[in-house]
């Protein structure tokens, strides 16, 4: 019987510990929004218009978003860019990622937006809170001749 009680107490302690280390709800909402807007492991350049429409991606006024980037990676790999910082900070990836950048080619009001996509290999700069990406700041494109250009 004593083993059973010890097991229950240990489980309760683990539950309380994981509850106190959980992320605030507003950060988790921002993280999920970030993933919806910028995680696209299977997004290719021909899919920009459909994915942006299906995911209901638009600017804060409900208009077509001029540019949106999709990182072709799993969420754990993207999250690793953030390190473990607690405060909001910008982090640049230490490795290049394939990124599909979708630029608006026609339309003003969502959902009547048409996009043209471009695939690039880029370092990514993310805004992170408590170790979670919550903002896509920019891509740092890596060209084959070792030139670096900033893209918004």
């Amino acid at each position: 019987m004593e083993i059973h009680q010890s097991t229950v107490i240990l489980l309760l302690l683990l539950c309380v510990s994981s509850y106190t280390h959980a992320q605030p709800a507003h950060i988790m909402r921002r993280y999920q929004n970030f993933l919806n807007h910028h995680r696209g492991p299977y997004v290719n350049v021909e899919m920009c218009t459909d994915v942006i429409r299906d995911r209901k991606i638009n600017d804060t006024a409900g208009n077509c978003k001029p540019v949106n980037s999709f990182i072709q990676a799993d969420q754990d790999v993207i999250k690793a860019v953030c390190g473990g910082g607690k405060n909001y900070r910008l982090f640049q990836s230490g490795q290049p990622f394939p990124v599909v950048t979708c630029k608006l080619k026609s339309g003003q009001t969502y959902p009547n937006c048409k996009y043209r996509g471009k695939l690039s290999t880029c370092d990514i700069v993310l805004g992170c809170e408590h170790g979670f990406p919550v903002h896509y700041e920019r891509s740092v494109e890596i060209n084959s001749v070792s030139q670096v250009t900033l893209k918004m």
Side-chain angles (χ1 to χ4, degrees):
M1 188 68 154
E2 226 175 286
I3 294 173
H4 177 67
Q5 288 175 341
S6 298
T7 304
V8 170
I9 291 170
L10 180 61
L11 286 172
L12 285 172
L13 286 172
L14 288 172
C15 289
V16 169
S17 175
S18 65
Y19 178 77
T20 59
H21 289 86
Q23 296 303 321
H26 75 280
I27 291 174
M28 294 313 294
R29 275 191 305 274
R30 291 183 67 199
Y31 174 56
Q32 291 303 318
N33 187 57
F34 169 86
L35 291 175
N36 181 60
H37 283 220
H38 301 293
R39 182 179 156 264
Y42 306 110
V43 175
N44 64 47
V45 295
E46 291 86 22
M47 298 169 68
C48 285
T49 297
D50 292 336
V51 172
I52 289 172
R53 183 184 58 245
D54 293 347
R55 294 187 186 185
K56 298 176 174 53
I57 299 170
N58 52 53
D59 69 9
T60 55
N63 296 315
C64 299
K65 194 171 177 188
V67 178
N68 194 75
S69 298
F70 293 101
I71 307 163
Q72 292 184 329
D74 291 329
Q75 69 187 52
D76 291 336
V77 176
I78 297 168
K79 185 176 177 284
V81 172
C82 291
K86 294 217 179 246
N87 296 325
Y88 183 86
R89 288 186 42 207
L90 293 177
F91 290 86
Q92 183 167 334
S93 64
Q95 66 176 16
F97 285 86
V99 175
V100 173
T101 302
C102 303
K103 290 188 178 181
L104 185 65
K105 66 178 183 178
S106 68
Q108 293 294 321
T109 307
Y110 176 86
N112 301 316
C113 315
K114 303 280 188 232
Y115 289 87
R116 177 176 295 119
K118 177 186 174 197
L119 177 63
S120 303
T121 301
C122 307
D123 282 351
I124 55 175
V125 179
L126 305 178
C128 303
E129 275 189 80
H130 294 273
F132 288 87
V134 295
H135 173 71
Y136 189 100
E137 178 69 19
R138 67 181 174 268
S139 299
V140 181
E141 190 170 332
I142 316 269
N143 295 326
S144 58
V145 287
S146 301
Q147 294 178 332
V148 178
T149 55
L150 292 181
K151 297 175 80 174
M152 293 300 276

